[in-house]
């Protein structure tokens, strides 16, 4: 197998044996983020496909998630960090009913490496908890992540509840089940502030930077 194929296969197989030396080798060729977005994400896509075909069980997908998390944790130290003044404070959460957090945590790493203070509320965060945290932390924006189809709908409800609580700071949304169109036609009309869709963590950073300029 090529290096790229081996990296994807750690994720698919859910094994960490040999992972770190291969990640080190990959760093000679690629940036940390390119390793994540390239071979590691390709592995995750395959895991999703196999899971969908009932060829993997949840316990196995969890092993794959562990490999992804270990890789991101290792690669984080090699990521570019911009030493800037704090550009803004962002509340981050995976929405109610959803446990997927690898993408959200990647967004946290990238934003905090680039001058943002992140308050990460974790997973399965109901609107009430977001509102409470908003009142305590007074963030400049709120970031919502969700991977399940029902999470897209949950974002609509969350936007409605935030609006009802008088909140109108920009909301950044992302995650596999969402689209730019759904964001524009279904979430944004329910909210008074801006609602912005990011397809990946880097786009999330670009949008945050546009907001803070
Ligand atoms: Co689940 N899962 N899962 N899962 N899982 C999916 C999402 C699924 C598509 C797999 C499939 O069937 N093909 C499917 C959803 C189907 C649907 O709703 N249409 C699914 C399902 C069904 C489920 C369960 C219901 C399974 C079950 O129990 N029967 C269950 C749900 C439990 C729940 O949430 N209540 C479940 C559980 C799990 C595990 C716990 C085993 C594990 C998660 C572990 C964890 O996160 N700690 C897991 C995993 C790993 C996946 C897949 C395989 C991979 C997700 C992932 O981590 N990708 C996934 C299939 C797939 O996506 N290929 C799948 C890597 C990550 C870096 O990408 O999170 O998309 P992602 O983030 C991207 C962008 O989306 C974006 O940036 C990142 C890239 O830079 N982004 C943002 C994300 N959030 C953002 C926020 C932003 C900006 C950008 O701003 C705020």
């Amino acid at each position: 197998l090529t290096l790229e194929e081996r990296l994807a296969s750690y994720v698919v197989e859910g094994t960490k044996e040999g992972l770190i030396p291969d990640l080190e080798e990959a760093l000679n060729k690629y940036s940390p983020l390119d390793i994540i977005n390239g071979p590691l994400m390709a592995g995750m896509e395959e895991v999703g496909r196999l899971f969908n075909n009932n060829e993997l069980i949840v316990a196995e997908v969890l092993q794959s998630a562990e490999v992804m998390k270990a890789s991101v944790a290792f690669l984080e130290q090699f990521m570019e960090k911009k030493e800037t003044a704090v550009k803004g404070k962002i509340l981050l959460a995976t929405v109610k009913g959803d446990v997927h957090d690898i993408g959200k945590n990647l967004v946290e790493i990238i934003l905090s490496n680039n001058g943002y203070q992140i308050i990460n509320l974790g997973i399965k965060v109901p609107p009430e908890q977001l509102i409470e945290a908003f009142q305590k932390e007074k963030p400049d924006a709120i970031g919502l992540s969700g991977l399940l189809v029902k999470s897209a709908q949950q974002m609509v409800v969350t936007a409605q509840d935030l609006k009802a609580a008088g909140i109108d700071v920009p909301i950044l949304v992302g995650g596999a089940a969402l689209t730019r169109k759904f964001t524009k036609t279904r979430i944004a009309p329910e909210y008074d502030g801006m609602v912005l869709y990011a397809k990946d963590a880097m786009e999330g950073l670009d949008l945050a930077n546009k907001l803070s300029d």
Side-chain angles (χ1 to χ4, degrees):
L1 295 185
T2 64
L3 174 63
E4 291 76 8
E5 287 165 345
R6 288 202 302 278
L7 287 170
S9 78
Y10 291 114
V11 177
V12 178
E13 304 294 330
T15 169
K16 294 181 201 162
E17 245 188 88
L19 172 69
I20 300 297
D22 272 350
L23 287 174
E24 280 168 338
E25 189 183 332
L27 282 167
N28 298 323
K29 259 169 101 177
Y30 303 107
S31 74
L33 210 56
D34 286 342
I35 300 173
I36 295 171
N37 288 333
L40 297 176
M41 276 301 262
M44 263 311 190
E45 292 297 324
E46 178 64 3
V47 169
R49 193 188 68 77
L50 292 169
F51 186 42
N52 211 17
N53 292 347
N54 295 317
E55 288 173 55
L56 286 180
I57 57 170
V58 172
E60 292 168 318
V61 180
L62 262 178
Q63 298 280 319
S64 300
E66 283 307 316
V67 173
M68 191 70 167
K69 287 191 171 190
S71 305
V72 172
F74 174 77
L75 292 170
E76 187 182 352
Q77 60 187 309
F78 303 102
M79 286 183 193
E80 196 188 330
K81 287 188 189 59
K82 293 225 170 74
E83 306 292 339
T84 56
V86 176
K87 290 196 249 172
K89 189 176 187 179
I90 303 180
L91 212 56
L92 196 59
T94 298
V95 296
K96 181 178 173 184
D98 195 325
V99 304
H100 297 88
D101 67 354
I102 298 176
K104 167 182 68 64
N105 293 343
L106 198 57
V107 171
E108 173 180 19
I109 290 172
I110 288 167
L111 288 176
S112 53
N113 280 347
N114 287 279
Y116 292 89
Q117 184 191 351
I118 305 298
I119 314 284
N120 190 339
L121 298 178
I123 58 173
K124 298 203 272 185
V125 177
E128 313 84 82
Q129 194 189 336
L130 268 173
I131 292 165
E132 204 184 302
F134 181 90
Q135 282 152 357
K136 183 167 163 243
E137 303 287 351
K138 308 262 182 292
D140 303 296
I142 298 174
L144 301 176
S145 178
L147 267 71
L148 302 172
V149 165
K150 67 171 187 186
S151 300
Q153 192 52 43
Q154 181 57 43
M155 289 195 191
V156 175
V157 173
T158 303
Q160 288 167 337
D161 288 357
L162 291 172
K163 177 180 169 174
I167 296 169
D168 63 0
V169 297
I171 302 181
L172 192 61
V173 297
L178 270 186
T179 60
R180 206 172 294 282
K181 189 173 167 213
F182 186 92
T183 305
K184 206 174 151 203
T185 60
R186 302 288 310 281
I187 308 178
E190 303 298 329
Y191 190 65
D192 279 341
M194 263 190 268
V195 184
L196 303 164
Y197 168 81
K199 71 171 188 320
D200 58 27
M202 278 316 283
E203 193 176 342
L205 173 63
D206 288 344
L207 291 170
N209 283 339
K210 285 203 182 98
L211 290 174
S212 75
D213 279 347

